[in-house]
């Protein structure tokens, strides 16, 4: 049964399996293991970022497409659900409606971008997606009457998911079971389902063709696969998954804004996560997202301590300042590309 | 046989997963023209490119005047006095004929007398001296490519299928030009599929198939032996057009 | 150099010069005139567009040459722009009196010094960048994009470390502040300077490319690097030189951009990159002339739409890119590749 669940794509390394299992268990039991707002926020963010990064791995690692428009689809998902809940009231109908509209827009947009630019070289496509995503981000902040501009929009979610809602009286392991817990498990289970779906996709015949295309596009074309079609479908699948991750984010944060969804900084974060974790492995997305988000939240405090300890020395306190955590991750990123291009997953599997 | 100028010993070349040259052994004698024949895909172009260092020889040695070319990079190989006239001619289309020739000279500027000699061989180059090379016809581009290789004296010139796709009248011009070149101290290694052209010019000949040399010797001997021709190249001399 | 022989039997076949793309610039400007309504406003916007275009050209020219010659796309190019901009503080702060002096000569001296310092710094950095970051990944486009982006992230963070995160104000020297009146139009002095500098850089580049042997090597190398090597030239050294020159040009562009925006922020180089990418795609990767035209077009469109319909400014440049690609898929002046 495990075989069919993972579509035959096992971790293939004891260390990796242990880590993945740990991540799974910790995420599954997070509300009870780490009560408190911040840890649960971190856990939820890890969940939907795993989906987002895995969908990016589908493009970059499996199909060899470098796209900078991924956050655009993430944002479309978030804005779709968020604006629907804002405009149509906090109902499940709004959630579904917003999601459907968001998916439609994403798929349509990705098809257009794909068909137009997947015919051109990698570099062209990368630049074009960068331009399109930038334009979209600017548009979102400009249409402030609709989107709330730079400040974004706060909205309410359906009653079942609200923190004020009690599923039942009494506590489980010392924690009150509120709507917050419900929405957490919604995010967790949907993320898990989407992740397993993507594993299924990359291990299917379709997925193998994608890998063939990544290896040698010319050859794949010669064998008879219309590479543009496959790449466009992959592009749209990735976009759709990113959209769903965005929808999950909106439900969790009850807020949507350009900074949390469309900014180029998030695109860079995704890149860092997928490369450090390991491109073309799917599990790399899980590991990369976990490491990155934990670092983002907890490494900074560590760095803050170190920086204070080194006060008085010339350059060091500034280098270790908590705001400079991205500097070190950037260095790690560069080192990964050179020395372990298969990321942490690849390193673990080599043993 | 005259003294050897270039000797290949056990040269193997791989490109990606493809193993193209399987231990090439042959010698190019100094002076005159040595022809390298063989059908499509035999490895002739790969041999030239390996000598020129454009592709790495995985094994083997390429001895030229005491130096192993297999250890050198392409610019160094060129500076030893070896010129290359590639299959696609490699002329710079955006540059003028003059600029193409200037690039080929390592001294300050093309020597005036040498330039006149080249104009004598290839009058079109004089006519279109200031024109962008991309506007030349196929035959004229080929002439420019050859002119670049002889604008200064070189010890060895590698030529890859110069007559490909050219009209017979132009080929006749080219034969005359090469015959004049033979008078100089330059050695030429020429890859060809056109046997008539090869037979009229070659002093030495080597035949290649499947990445190995199958035969080498004088052109005279090969031209006289119809059976050998049939076996190596699958053709008769007078039947080939 | 032997002169071309005097006697010719027939005339040279006429070389059709491709002037059509050049016409796009006046066309765009003329189309904007009725839309804007008044000549004074149009003149101001046009000069602003030309000035911005020149600056973008200086910043983008290095990138397009590096790509054309070495097939390397430096996604971290914006870093050199930022560093060039921040280098201005190294000159302007100690020499504040010269900046505020009334003497045009002193002001120009300060600007020149800024340019020299910035170009030296970014040139050196470019050399290090090529050696350490780019060289190991020649030929692997995917990895190139990733490592150059990584380099960009690290460098931007280092700017934070060295200069802090707060915006730094850098008004231009006294002689170049304010505007001159031409008829009813107020034209900023600094913009006129920018146009002059841009034209000078363009002229210098054309001179080097067309009249020197190095320029010859670069033009040939963009077409067919292999053949240049087969002619005996060590093209690797040329690569490094062009990369350093491209980085130095980006630094110069950064200096101009700094005084134009009058504020320094760590992300300023990266912000311009989207426009730069559009410019080099529109112009044709590897073509300096195309880059020049593309910069002017993109800047003019940005300024006109910034005035007429600000919300779609970037979108209109994307539309411009799409239209031009539909007309000429390789850009305005595609380079003849092997």
């Amino acid at each position: 049964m495990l075989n069919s669940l993972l579509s035959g794509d096992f971790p293939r390394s004891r260390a990796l399996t242990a880590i993945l299992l740990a991540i799974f268990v910790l995420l599954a039991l997070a509300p009870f293991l780490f009560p408190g707002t911040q840890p649960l926020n971190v856990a939820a963010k890890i969940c939907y970022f795993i989906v987002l990064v895995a969908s990016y791995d589908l493009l970059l690692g499996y199909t060899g497409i470098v796209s900078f428009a991924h956050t655009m689809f993430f944002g479309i998902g978030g804005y779709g659900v968020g604006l629907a809940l804002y405009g149509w009231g906090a109902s499940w109908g709004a959630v579904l409606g917003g999601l459907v509209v968001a998916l439609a827009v994403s798929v349509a947009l990705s098809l257009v971008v794909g068909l137009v630019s997947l015919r051109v070289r990698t570099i062209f496509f990368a630049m074009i997606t960068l331009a399109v995503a930038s334009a979209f981000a600017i548009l979102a902040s400009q249409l402030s009457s609709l989107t709330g501009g730079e400040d974004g929009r706060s909205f309410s979610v359906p009653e079942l998911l609200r923190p004020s809602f009690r599923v039942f009286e009494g506590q489980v392991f010392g924690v009150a079971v509120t709507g917050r817990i419900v929405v957490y498990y919604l995010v967790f289970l949907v993320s898990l389902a989407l992740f397993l779906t993507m594993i299924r996709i990359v291990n299917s015949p379709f997925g193998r063709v994608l890998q063939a295309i990544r290896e040698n596009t010319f050859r794949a074309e010669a064998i008879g696969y219309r590479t543009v079609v496959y790449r466009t479908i992959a592009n749209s699948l990735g976009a759709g998954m990113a959209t769903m991750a965005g929808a999950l984010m909106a439900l969790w944060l009850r807020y949507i804004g350009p900074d949390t969804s469309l900014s180029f900084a998030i695109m860079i974060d995704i890149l860092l996560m997928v490369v450090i974790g390991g491109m073309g492995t799917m599990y790399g997305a899980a590991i990369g997202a976990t490491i990155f988000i934990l670092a983002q939240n907890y490494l900074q405090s560590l760095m803050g301590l170190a920086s204070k300890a080194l006060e008085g020395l010339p350059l060091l306190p500034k280098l270790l300042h908590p705001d400079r955590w991205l500097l070190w991750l950037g260095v790690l990123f560069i080192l990964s590309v050179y020395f372990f291009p298969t990321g942490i997953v690849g390193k673990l599997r080599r043993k | 046989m005259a003294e050897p100028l270039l000797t290949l010993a056990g040269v193997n070349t791989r490109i990606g997963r493809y193993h193209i040259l399987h231990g090439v052994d042959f010698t190019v004698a100094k002076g005159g023209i040595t022809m390298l024949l063989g059908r499509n895909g035999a490895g002739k172009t790969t041999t030239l490119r390996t000598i020129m260092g454009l592709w790495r020889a995985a094994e083997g040695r390429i001895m030229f005047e005491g130096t192993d070319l297999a250890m050198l990079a392409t610019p160094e190989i060129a500076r030893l006095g070896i010129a290359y006239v590639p299959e696609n001619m490699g002329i710079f289309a955006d540059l003028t004929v003059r600029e193409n020739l200037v690039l080929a000279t390592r001294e300050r500027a093309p020597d005036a007398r040498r330039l006149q000699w080249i104009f004598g061989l290839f009058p079109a180059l004089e006519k279109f001296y200031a024109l962008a090379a991309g506007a030349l016809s196929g035959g004229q581009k080929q002439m420019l490519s050859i002119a670049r290789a002889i604008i200064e004296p070189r010890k060895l010139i590698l030529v890859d299928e110069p007559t490909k796709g050219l009209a017979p009248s132009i080929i006749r011009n080219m034969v005359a030009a090469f015959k004049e070149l033979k008078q100089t101290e330059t050695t030429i290694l020429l890859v060809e599929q056109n046997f008539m052209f090869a037979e009229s010019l070659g002093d030495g000949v080597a035949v290649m198939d499947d990445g190995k040399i199958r035969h080498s010797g004088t052109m005279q001997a090969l031209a006289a032996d119809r059976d050998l021709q049939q076996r190596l190249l699958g053709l008769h001399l007078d039947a080939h057009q | 150099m032997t002169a071309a022989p005097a006697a010719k039997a027939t005339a040279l076949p006429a070389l059709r010069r491709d002037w059509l793309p050049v016409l796009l610039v006046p066309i765009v400007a003329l189309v904007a005139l009725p839309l804007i309504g008044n000549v004074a406003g149009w003149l101001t916007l046009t000069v602003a567009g030309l000035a911005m275009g020149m600056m973008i050209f200086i910043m983008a020219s290095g990138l397009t040459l590096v790509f054309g010659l070495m097939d390397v796309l430096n996604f971290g190019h914006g870093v050199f722009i930022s560093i060039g901009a921040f280098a201005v503080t190294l000159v302007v702060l100690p020499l504040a009196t010269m900046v505020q002096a009334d003497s045009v000569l002193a002001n120009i001296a300060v600007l020149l010094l800024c340019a020299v310092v910035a170009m030296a710094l970014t040139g050196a950095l470019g050399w290090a960048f090529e050696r350490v970051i780019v060289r190991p990944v020649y030929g692997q486009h995917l990895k190139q994009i990733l490592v150059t982006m990584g380099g960009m992230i690290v460098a931007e963070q280092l700017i934070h470390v060295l200069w802090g995160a707060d915006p730094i104000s850098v008004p231009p020297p006294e002689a170049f502040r304010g505007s001159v009146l031409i008829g009813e139009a107020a034209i900023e002095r600094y913009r006129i300077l920018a146009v002059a500098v841009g034209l000078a850089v363009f002229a210098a580049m054309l001179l080097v490319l067309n009249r020197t042997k190095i320029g010859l090597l670069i033009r040939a190398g963009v077409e067919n690097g292999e053949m240049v090597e087969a002619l005996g030239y060590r093209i690797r050294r040329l690569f490094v030189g062009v990369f350093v020159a491209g980085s130095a040009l980006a630094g110069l562009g950064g200096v101009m951009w700094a005084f134009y925006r009058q504020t320094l922020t760590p992300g300023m180089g990266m912000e311009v990159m989207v426009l730069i990418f559009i410019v080099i795609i529109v112009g044709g990767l590897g073509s300096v002339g195309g880059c020049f035209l593309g910069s002017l077009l993109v800047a003019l469109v940005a300024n006109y739409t910034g005035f007429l319909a600000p919300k779609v400014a970037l979108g209109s440049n994307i539309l411009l890119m799409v239209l031009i690609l539909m007309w000429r898929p390789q850009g305005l002046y595609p380079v003849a590749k092997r």
Side-chain angles (χ1 to χ4, degrees):
Chain A
M1 194 208 97
L2 195 61
N3 196 359
S4 82
L5 200 63
L6 294 179
S7 310
D9 192 355
F10 286 102
R12 294 197 295 276
S13 145
R14 289 233 193 96
L16 184 60
T17 315
I19 296 178
L20 287 171
L21 218 55
I23 295 179
F24 176 72
V25 167
L26 291 174
L27 286 177
L29 302 175
F32 306 108
L33 289 175
F34 315 108
T37 1
Q38 204 212 3
L40 207 55
N41 257 327
V42 171
K45 190 168 182 187
I46 293 180
C47 286
Y48 56 78
F49 258 86
I50 289 182
V51 174
L52 182 61
V53 178
S55 67
Y56 195 68
D57 195 19
L58 178 65
L59 291 181
L60 182 67
Y62 283 89
T63 323
I65 298 175
V66 183
S67 158
F68 289 119
H70 216 62
T71 41
M72 182 173 77
F73 300 116
F74 184 54
I76 290 178
Y79 273 97
V81 168
L83 293 181
L85 285 171
Y86 180 81
W88 299 336
S91 67
W92 286 106
V95 173
L96 239 51
L99 183 62
V100 165
V101 169
L103 279 173
V105 170
S106 283
V107 170
L109 209 54
S110 62
L111 277 177
V112 168
V113 172
L115 286 174
V116 163
S117 30
L118 278 173
R119 299 170 185 279
V120 305
R121 297 164 62 174
T122 314
I123 291 192
F124 267 108
F125 184 71
M127 291 194 276
I128 291 176
T129 53
L130 181 64
V132 172
S134 308
F136 191 85
I138 293 182
L139 202 65
S141 12
Q142 299 261 359
L143 295 176
S144 24
S145 51
L146 177 64
T147 63
E150 285 289 320
D151 298 325
R153 288 255 186 258
S154 284
F155 45 84
S156 312
V157 290
E159 211 198 322
L160 182 63
L161 307 177
R162 287 187 212 148
S164 50
F165 178 79
R166 288 296 292 263
V167 179
F168 50 79
E169 293 302 319
Q171 302 193 329
V172 179
F173 293 112
V175 176
V177 181
T178 64
R180 204 88 185 111
I181 310 254
V182 175
V183 68
Y184 176 79
Y185 278 109
L186 177 66
V187 170
F188 172 71
L189 290 171
V190 173
S191 300
L192 184 64
L194 291 176
F195 184 70
L196 291 174
T197 309
M198 281 191 272
I199 292 198
R200 160 86 23 138
I201 292 178
V202 298
N203 284 291
S204 69
F206 173 75
R208 300 210 193 287
V209 176
L210 291 183
Q211 293 185 61
I213 292 177
R214 177 196 68 201
E215 289 298 322
N216 191 337
T217 312
F218 186 69
R219 203 148 172 234
E221 190 81 45
I223 296 179
Y225 290 111
R226 298 218 38 222
T227 52
V228 180
V229 174
Y230 277 90
R231 293 170 85 193
T232 305
I233 296 181
N235 199 27
S236 298
L237 274 173
M241 290 290 177
T243 307
M244 300 228 243
L248 289 174
M249 173 190 72
L251 283 178
W252 176 255
L253 291 180
R254 289 171 293 158
Y255 162 81
I256 189 68
D259 277 342
T260 50
S261 57
L262 293 171
S263 77
F264 191 62
I266 299 188
M267 190 66 240
I268 295 185
D269 293 347
I270 299 177
L271 254 164
L272 290 172
M273 291 184 233
V274 79
V275 168
I276 294 177
M279 287 188 277
T281 59
M282 279 298 156
Y283 293 118
I287 300 217
T290 309
I291 290 184
F292 190 90
I293 293 176
L294 286 176
Q296 194 175 40
N297 287 280
Y298 298 115
L299 179 63
Q300 291 193 284
S301 344
L302 262 166
M303 283 176 74
L305 288 172
S307 183
K308 285 232 170 57
L310 291 172
E311 211 146 53
L313 293 179
L315 207 55
L316 280 168
K318 277 203 186 162
L319 283 175
L320 289 175
H321 189 274
D323 281 344
R324 301 285 80 77
W325 70 288
L326 199 57
L327 170 67
W328 299 105
L329 263 129
V331 171
L332 181 61
F333 173 76
I334 297 179
L335 293 173
S336 316
V337 177
Y338 288 132
F339 299 119
F340 38 110
T342 41
I344 294 182
V345 169
K347 267 274 142 128
L348 289 176
R349 277 183 178 163
R350 211 87 54 82
K351 292 215 177 115
Chain B
M1 197 191 202
E3 63 171 285
L5 180 67
L6 177 76
T7 307
L8 275 73
V11 172
N12 278 271
T13 299
R14 291 189 184 81
I15 300 170
R17 275 174 251 180
Y18 303 105
H19 191 175
I20 310 234
L21 298 182
H22 296 86
V24 171
D25 298 295
F26 87 106
T27 303
V28 176
K30 190 164 181 175
I33 303 187
T34 302
M35 293 291 180
L36 183 57
L37 306 174
R39 52 184 182 78
N40 260 330
K44 313 187 295 295
T45 298
T46 307
T47 305
L48 288 190
R49 286 178 67 92
T50 307
I51 297 173
M52 206 60 206
L54 295 169
W55 278 333
R56 212 67 304 178
E59 291 148 40
R61 302 199 307 167
I62 305 174
M63 302 307 295
F64 177 78
E65 293 193 334
T67 318
D68 186 2
L69 299 183
M71 305 271 102
L72 299 179
T74 305
E76 269 80 53
I77 296 177
R79 277 161 191 267
L80 288 177
I82 303 181
Y84 179 49
V85 181
E87 211 176 332
N88 59 5
M89 296 170 269
I91 58 146
F92 304 111
D94 273 349
L95 276 55
T96 62
V97 169
R98 185 190 129 257
E99 288 174 328
N100 269 274
L101 288 172
V102 165
L103 258 188
T105 58
R106 305 237 180 86
E107 302 306 308
R108 305 243 72 221
D111 173 66
R113 261 190 314 178
R114 195 100 179 167
L115 197 61
Q116 285 307 315
W117 172 57
I118 289 181
F119 286 157
L121 288 173
F122 308 125
L125 295 182
E126 176 172 21
K127 190 162 134 188
F128 300 131
Y129 198 52
L131 186 66
L136 297 174
S137 73
Q140 292 160 347
K141 285 182 184 162
Q142 188 62 267
M143 290 179 207
L144 176 57
S145 194
I146 296 173
R148 271 194 325 200
I150 59 178
I151 188 71
E152 282 176 348
R154 301 269 180 254
K155 295 183 182 155
L156 174 64
I157 302 184
L158 310 171
V159 190
D160 200 345
E161 299 205 33
T163 65
K164 194 159 157 186
L166 297 184
S169 55
I170 303 191
I171 297 182
R172 256 177 272 131
N173 267 6
M174 204 170 281
V175 170
F178 274 116
K179 279 201 172 129
E180 257 199 62
L181 267 174
K182 277 222 270 193
Q183 320 286 354
T184 68
E185 20 11 282
T186 307
T187 307
I188 301 179
L189 174 60
L190 201 151
V191 161
E192 248 310 330
Q193 287 199 64
N194 182 339
F195 192 66
M196 287 274 278
F197 177 80
E199 190 258 348
S200 63
L201 277 177
D203 301 309
V205 65
V207 182
M208 216 169 161
D209 201 13
D210 279 335
K212 280 177 110 84
I213 299 285
R214 299 291 168 193
H215 165 87
S216 71
T218 64
M219 183 56 86
Q220 264 184 314
L222 182 61
D225 190 342
R226 291 239 202 106
D227 290 323
L228 190 58
Q229 284 166 40
Q230 171 68 337
R231 263 187 291 127
L232 291 176
L233 303 164
L235 48 77
H236 289 284
L237 174 56
D238 42 25
H240 185 81
Q241 183 40 30
Chain C
M1 183 88 254
T2 55
K8 286 187 208 108
T10 48
L12 286 178
L15 189 59
R16 263 196 312 124
R17 293 214 154 259
D18 190 6
W19 290 121
L20 214 49
V22 180
L23 293 178
L24 281 179
V25 175
I27 290 177
V28 165
L30 288 173
V31 162
L33 182 53
L35 291 173
I36 295 176
N38 66 79
V39 180
W42 175 83
L43 198 57
T44 313
L45 284 174
T46 305
V47 172
L50 289 177
M52 185 168 134
M54 294 293 174
M55 286 186 269
I56 294 184
F57 165 67
I58 298 176
M59 294 188 257
S61 50
L63 188 63
T64 197
L65 263 186
V66 164
F67 186 73
L69 183 63
M70 301 156 65
D71 213 25
V72 165
L73 195 68
N74 181 10
F75 261 78
H77 192 76
V79 158
F80 298 112
I81 299 175
S82 294
I83 292 184
F86 274 85
V88 157
T89 60
L90 298 173
V91 173
V92 158
L93 291 177
L95 292 181
T97 43
M98 274 182 90
V99 173
Q100 281 153 14
D102 246 337
S103 142
V104 175
L105 228 58
N107 291 165
I108 292 187
V110 169
L111 283 177
L112 268 173
L113 201 57
C114 284
V116 166
V117 167
M119 289 176 82
L121 189 57
T122 48
L125 236 91
W127 182 82
F129 202 79
E130 196 270 340
R131 271 227 107 175
V132 174
I133 297 201
V134 174
R135 198 180 288 192
V137 289
Y138 263 128
Q140 304 169 64
H141 280 173
L142 182 67
K143 280 195 179 174
Q144 262 168 38
I145 295 178
L146 294 177
V147 289
T148 50
M149 287 214 84
M152 175 189 93
I153 296 172
V154 170
E156 187 182 346
Q157 291 296 312
L158 285 175
I159 291 182
H160 274 271
V161 169
L162 294 171
W163 276 282
D166 298 320
I168 302 176
S169 166
V170 281
E174 193 60 47
F176 299 107
R177 292 184 207 169
S179 331
V180 291
L181 276 180
I182 299 189
E184 280 184 11
I187 314 262
E188 288 184 25
R189 287 204 180 91
Y190 187 73
R191 292 188 179 157
I192 301 178
L193 175 71
V195 172
V197 172
L199 285 175
V201 168
F202 185 48
M205 285 186 83
L206 285 183
L207 219 84
V208 167
L209 283 177
N210 288 310
R211 295 258 185 275
T212 65
K213 188 139 187 195
I214 290 207
L216 201 58
L217 279 172
I218 294 177
R219 278 189 297 139
V222 169
E223 264 193 69
N224 190 340
E226 207 177 61
M227 198 61 221
V228 171
E229 280 196 299
L231 287 173
Y233 300 99
R234 297 188 187 93
I235 208 171
R236 280 241 72 251
R237 287 203 204 145
L238 191 66
F239 284 178
V240 177
V242 171
F243 197 89
V244 167
S247 314
L249 276 171
L252 177 62
V255 169
M256 304 293 304
W257 193 242
F259 288 126
Y260 185 74
R261 297 197 46 230
Q262 305 201 14
T263 324
L264 300 176
T265 52
M268 61 192 292
M270 268 60 84
E271 287 160 12
V272 184
M273 280 314 281
V274 178
L275 280 182
I276 291 181
F277 282 140
I278 294 181
V279 160
I280 64 178
I281 291 180
V282 158
L285 289 163
S287 159
V288 168
C291 183
F292 187 73
L293 268 186
S295 308
L296 291 181
L297 279 173
V298 164
L300 282 174
V301 167
N303 274 282
Y304 291 144
T305 54
F307 175 77
L308 294 169
K311 298 206 170 158
V312 293
L314 186 58
S316 56
N317 261 313
I318 295 183
L319 186 62
L320 174 73
M321 178 174 75
V322 167
L323 288 175
I324 292 189
L325 286 182
M326 277 171 30
W327 176 36
R328 295 196 175 183
Q330 306 267 48
L332 289 175
Y333 285 119
V335 170
K337 274 280 189 191
R338 67 199 92 151

